[in-house]
């Protein structure tokens, strides 16, 4: 049989099917749509929707899940968009990818940053509860992780460009805080890269997950300025650090890593430079910045996520450096075989960032 060389697109498409429909399936049937964009209560949810929610979301066997790696086919539906773009831009995140990674994200996020955050929230003046803005919320995994770890009544404002993802974020929102206080939610469709202090009036906290590395330096500066103007802290988790560790090691690991990191920096995006840029931006606005590692640690129990991550990681590297294609094809096959056999362990390094802006209401820092 004649051997063929895989193209970057071929490598990016070699992916298994992951079931669609994130979030609690039983809850989705109880949602009443009114088209207003408001979600008034997580216990009696009214959710904005449109025909996109009812669209067929099946993914072909040769499709890459958006978010795991480069996607190039125009027929795939758009999900999260961070800024106004042309109609041909591929989707950034598909719900299937967000669902697949949620457990690893939850295990990785830093608990050590929550104590200083709790102190700040308790010190905010004149607040009967917390108003939390979740930027690029996706299917709402940040709220599901954080809301049950904070005391007091909470109102979450979920920001995303995709009504389909907002739908599932709303219906899957936590119902109560750590102390049993009520949690309510609302949804806002919009461009998180255009956030302004006015949008954060009354905010107690801004959160985001896996967002910083897909912003530009200008957009990070805008975010830092908005938080500073509102005097609210920001908890920004799971920004890529540009380092991975695979066990057993392979001589090609370093080349794939370098090519992937270069791909992350395309079009002015920060990629693995995001945390450094965010530290500079928030510090320039007078915030105190705290960092903590938040690595994915993927073993045999996370084979589905590891396999999907591998395909996307290698696919992006080859898209950046097509001359790697032939070696990368054999490399990916070997890595996927080891993953399927439960013989591969992967550490994907991320960083969580807590920026404590100077309060505008006179609270102690």
């Amino acid at each position: 049989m004649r051997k063929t060389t895989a193209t970057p697109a071929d490598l990016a498409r070699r992916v298994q099917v992951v079931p669609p429909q994130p979030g609690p399936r039983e809850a989705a049937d109880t949602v009443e749509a009114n088209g207003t964009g408001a979600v008034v209560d997580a216990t009696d949810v009214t959710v904005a929707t449109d025909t996109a929610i009812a669209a067929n979301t099946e993914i072909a066997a040769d499709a890459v899940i958006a978010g795991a790696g480069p996607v190039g086919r125009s027929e795939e539906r758009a999900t999260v968009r961070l800024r106004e773009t042309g109609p041909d831009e591929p989707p950034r995140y598909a719900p299937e990818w967000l669902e697949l990674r949620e457990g690893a994200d939850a295990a990785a996020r830093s608990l050590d940053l929550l104590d200083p955050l709790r102190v700040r929230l308790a010190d905010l003046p004149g607040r009967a509860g917390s108003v939390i803005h979740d930027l690029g919320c996706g299917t709402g995994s940040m709220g599901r992780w954080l809301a049950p770890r904070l005391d007091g009544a909470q109102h979450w404002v979920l920001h995303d460009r995709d009504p389909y993802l907002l739908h599932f974020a709303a219906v899957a929102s936590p119902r109560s805080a750590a102390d049993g206080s009520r949690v309510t939610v609302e949804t806002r469709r919009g461009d998180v890269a255009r956030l302004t202090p006015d949008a954060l009036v009354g905010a107690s906290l801004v959160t985001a997950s896996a967002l910083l590395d897909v912003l530009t330096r200008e957009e990070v500066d805008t975010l830092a300025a908005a938080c500073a103007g509102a005097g609210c802290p920001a908890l920004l988790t799971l920004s890529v650090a540009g380092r991975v560790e695979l066990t057993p090691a392979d001589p090609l690991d370093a080349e794939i890593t370098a090519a992937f990191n270069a791909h992350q920096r395309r079009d002015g995006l920060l990629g693995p430079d995001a945390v450094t840029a965010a530290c500079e931006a928030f510090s320039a606005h007078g915030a105190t910045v705290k960092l903590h590692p938040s690595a994915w640690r993927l073993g045999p129990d996370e084979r589905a996520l590891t396999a999907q991550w591998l395909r996307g990681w290698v696919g992006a590297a080859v898209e950046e450096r097509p001359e790697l294609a032939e070696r990368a094809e054999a490399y990916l096959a070997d890595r996927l075989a080891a993953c399927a056999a439960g013989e591969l362990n992967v550490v994907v390094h991320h960083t969580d960032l807590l920026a404590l802006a100077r309060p505008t209401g006179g609270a102690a820092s």
Side-chain angles (χ1 to χ4, degrees):
M1 179 179 297
R2 183 172 64 87
K3 182 179 179 180
T4 59
T5 300
T7 67
D10 292 333
L11 286 174
R13 285 196 296 268
R14 289 177 183 172
V15 59
Q16 294 176 342
V17 175
V18 176
Q21 304 295 329
R25 277 68 171 172
E26 68 279 4
D29 294 333
T30 68
V31 177
E32 176 186 357
N34 68 1
T36 65
V39 180
V40 295
D41 189 347
T43 61
D44 184 18
V45 179
T46 305
V47 186
T49 185
D50 63 13
T51 55
I53 293 175
N56 185 342
T57 60
E58 291 184 2
I59 292 181
D62 67 344
V64 63
I65 297 180
V71 181
R73 286 185 304 287
S74 61
E75 69 268 20
E76 291 183 286
R77 65 181 303 281
T79 56
V80 178
R81 294 194 187 281
L82 300 175
R83 56 191 63 81
E84 293 294 343
T85 56
D88 295 331
E89 187 207 21
R92 280 200 185 277
Y93 302 115
E96 293 79 13
W97 170 246
L98 299 177
E99 182 180 35
L100 188 61
R101 65 176 288 171
E102 182 165 349
D105 286 351
R109 289 191 187 97
S110 169
L111 296 175
D112 290 352
L113 295 180
L114 296 188
D115 282 342
L117 175 60
R118 292 185 184 106
V119 171
R120 169 55 59 86
L121 294 178
D123 285 346
L124 290 175
R127 301 287 173 86
S130 297
V131 177
I132 302 172
H133 289 253
D134 189 14
L135 309 182
C137 68
T139 57
S141 66
M142 187 66 174
R144 288 189 290 276
W145 180 81
L146 183 59
R149 289 177 165 84
L150 298 178
D151 287 336
Q154 301 168 38
H155 181 70
W156 283 71
V157 183
L158 308 178
H159 297 256
D160 208 287
R161 292 294 303 276
D162 188 350
Y164 178 84
L165 297 183
L166 287 172
H167 167 86
F168 283 105
V171 298
S173 294
R175 274 40 175 182
S176 59
D179 60 357
S181 298
R182 191 182 191 195
V183 174
T184 58
V185 300
E186 68 176 274
T187 63
R188 292 185 187 176
R189 291 184 67 187
D191 187 349
V192 302
R194 295 183 175 184
L195 197 68
T196 65
D198 288 345
L200 297 180
V201 170
S204 308
L205 172 65
V206 167
T207 68
S209 189
L211 177 68
L212 282 180
D213 42 75
V214 293
L215 297 180
T216 65
R217 185 174 294 273
E218 180 181 3
E219 289 162 352
V220 169
D221 288 342
T222 298
L223 172 60
C227 291
C232 68
L235 179 63
L236 309 170
T237 68
L238 296 167
S239 297
V240 296
R243 294 181 292 114
V244 300
E245 300 167 21
L246 295 94
T247 306
D250 185 280
L252 200 55
D253 291 347
E255 283 189 75
I256 298 293
T257 300
F260 176 83
N261 289 343
H263 190 278
Q264 290 282 95
R265 296 183 175 104
R266 282 186 171 191
D267 302 319
L269 303 185
L270 287 167
D273 305 319
V275 170
T276 298
C279 286
E280 294 170 352
F282 278 97
S283 296
H285 286 281
T288 300
V289 179
K290 301 177 183 292
L291 304 178
H292 202 277
S294 53
W296 279 356
R297 300 186 182 278
L298 309 180
D301 291 341
E302 294 81 25
R303 295 179 204 185
L305 175 58
T306 303
Q308 183 63 241
W309 172 83
L310 276 168
R311 290 182 172 93
W313 185 61
V314 175
V318 173
E319 187 170 276
E320 182 67 23
R321 290 185 53 195
E323 69 273 16
L324 288 174
E326 186 170 357
R327 287 185 293 154
E329 182 177 15
Y331 172 90
L332 179 60
D334 289 344
R335 287 305 200 187
L336 289 174
C339 176
E343 298 170 353
L344 181 67
N345 291 278
V346 180
V347 179
V348 183
H349 290 276
H350 304 99
T351 304
D352 288 0
L353 179 151
L354 174 64
L356 299 172
R358 294 172 178 167
T360 57
S365 60

